[in-house]
Amino acid sequence: MNTINKEATLNNEQEVNLGENNAAKTPSVKDRVLEDGKLTFWEILYVARYFLPILATIGWAIGLGCEPADGTFLMVFSLILVGIGLISAITVCPLKLLALPFKWAIRGFFILRSFIPVYGVADLCAAIFGTAGGFVLGVFVIFGLPAIFTITKFFNEDSFQ
């Protein structure tokens, strides 16, 4: 009976290992894109949402570089680009985007706090200027450069299913 249990356990372990190997052999969307580039329509949309946030940066560059007047075609076009980029960035990594201004606000507080040696004044100045500066910088990065998050997530994430 002991040998039967050992054989059953061994066969069961082999089946589990085969199941894990079969799951590991199925290529992810990212692997298929990087290898041959032949994708279905839905896979193209899936990959495109990682790179569409570049449009937000282009829209901001148009808006800040050309300084179009309100209501002109160029202003509307740049706002549409920013909107498309932000919506696609939110679909990729919403929590990371929403947490960034708060993380940078905390970092801004501690960075500014480290420069001022007096405790009472330092805490107040760091709370006002460091926190506000970090938060504003975080919001600017979210709205102006959301492709930083999505493109790095595309190339760094292991499982794209």
Side-chain angles (χ1 to χ4, degrees), residues 14-89:
Q14 289 174 349
E15 289 175 6
V16 169
N17 289 338
L18 287 175
E20 291 174 358
N21 289 340
N22 287 339
K25 289 180 182 178
T26 57
S28 66
V29 175
K30 181 179 87 172
D31 294 336
R32 285 187 291 217
V33 168
L34 296 177
E35 286 178 9
D36 60 359
K38 296 178 183 174
L39 299 174
T40 65
F41 175 74
W42 296 111
E43 291 171 339
I44 290 171
L45 285 179
Y46 181 78
V47 172
R49 75 182 183 130
Y50 284 91
F51 294 95
L52 279 177
I54 294 173
L55 294 177
T57 306
I58 294 169
W60 277 99
I62 290 171
L64 293 175
C66 299
E67 297 180 6
D70 290 339
T72 61
F73 171 76
L74 196 56
M75 179 66 144
V76 172
F77 180 68
S78 66
L79 288 176
I80 289 172
L81 290 178
V82 170
I84 290 171
L86 288 176
I87 289 171
S88 64

Side-chain angles (χ1 to χ4, degrees), residues 88-154:
S88 64
I90 288 172
T91 63
V92 172
C93 51
L95 296 178
K96 187 182 279 189
L97 286 174
L98 295 176
L100 183 79
F102 299 107
K103 288 180 182 177
W104 282 21
I106 293 168
R107 285 185 185 159
F109 171 79
F110 286 114
I111 288 171
L112 192 60
R113 175 66 188 91
S114 68
F115 288 120
I116 306 172
V118 182
Y119 281 102
V121 175
D123 293 335
L124 183 62
C125 289
I128 294 171
F129 299 112
T131 305
F135 188 81
V136 168
L137 188 61
V139 169
F140 173 74
V141 168
I142 286 175
F143 284 106
L145 306 167
I148 293 171
F149 301 105
T150 59
I151 293 174
T152 56
K153 186 172 182 175
F154 178 77

